[in-house]
Amino acid sequence: MPKIDLSSVPLRTGSGYPAPFANAMGGRSSIRAGDAGGLTQFGANIVILKPGAKSSLRHWHQEQDEFVVVLSGTCTLIEDDGPVDLVAGDCAAFKAGVANGHCLENRSKVEARFLVIGTRTATETAWYSDIDMMVTSDQNGFEFKRKDGSPLTGGDA
């Protein structure tokens, strides 16, 4: 049956970011609903933000589109044009290759949830707008580097 029992999907916490940036993701968790349903062409995750938490470091994708719809609470979209509040039912779209870094923050006093859907490509590069960091991914996994491609050591981006 195609219905996904979200209560049986593990809640993922933590971050793949290197130190010290992983600490910035406290209060964020996600449910990988698309993976639970066996999807391979795109990701579909429900992200849960406790008050004060943020979805990610501000970033943009070179090859992958992203689409977000707020399910509950209020999320503040942070991008180059400044903050914009999104409430349940509001959507945002991030086209691949557009160098406008984004993330969502929960600046409210209650939990917020949003669904993020994104393209899956064989390779990808994402750029972090506010720090000297990029990430590349391929069939071997992902690697964080400086924006010039040099090694990122000791979390000193």
Side-chain angles (χ1 to χ4, degrees), residues 25-50:
M25 298 300 98
R28 175 198 184 273
S29 56
S30 66
I31 301 168
R32 300 202 172 199
D35 288 355
L39 300 182
T40 58
Q41 296 180 17
F42 60 90
N45 301 314
I46 298 169
V47 178
I48 304 160
L49 299 178
K50 291 182 179 177

Side-chain angles (χ1 to χ4, degrees), residues 3-81:
K3 181 177 178 179
I4 299 167
D5 177 5
L6 293 178
S7 68
S8 70
V9 180
L11 190 65
R12 294 180 52 120
T13 58
S15 166
Y17 290 140
F21 307 111
N23 295 339
M25 298 300 98
R28 175 198 184 273
S29 56
S30 66
I31 301 168
R32 300 202 172 199
D35 288 355
L39 300 182
T40 58
Q41 296 180 17
F42 60 90
N45 301 314
I46 298 169
V47 178
I48 304 160
L49 299 178
K50 291 182 179 177
K54 61 179 154 182
S55 62
S56 63
L57 299 173
R58 209 163 67 91
H59 69 285
W60 61 275
H61 293 273
Q62 196 165 299
E63 299 178 38
Q64 298 175 351
D65 289 340
E66 280 184 282
F67 178 82
V68 169
V69 59
V70 176
L71 303 174
S72 64
T74 301
C75 294
T76 302
L77 169 62
I78 309 299
E79 60 167 354
D80 289 349
D81 293 334

Side-chain angles (χ1 to χ4, degrees), residues 35 39-44 60-66 94-97 117-126 135-142:
D35 288 355
L39 300 182
T40 58
Q41 296 180 17
F42 60 90
W60 61 275
H61 293 273
Q62 196 165 299
E63 299 178 38
Q64 298 175 351
D65 289 340
E66 280 184 282
F94 310 101
K95 183 172 174 40
I117 299 169
T119 313
R120 288 187 174 164
T121 54
T123 62
E124 172 61 309
T125 302
V135 63
T136 57
S137 63
D138 60 22
Q139 69 277 2
N140 297 316
F142 59 93

Side-chain angles (χ1 to χ4, degrees), residues 110-122:
V110 298
E111 178 184 278
R113 292 181 179 227
F114 65 91
L115 173 67
V116 58
I117 299 169
T119 313
R120 288 187 174 164
T121 54

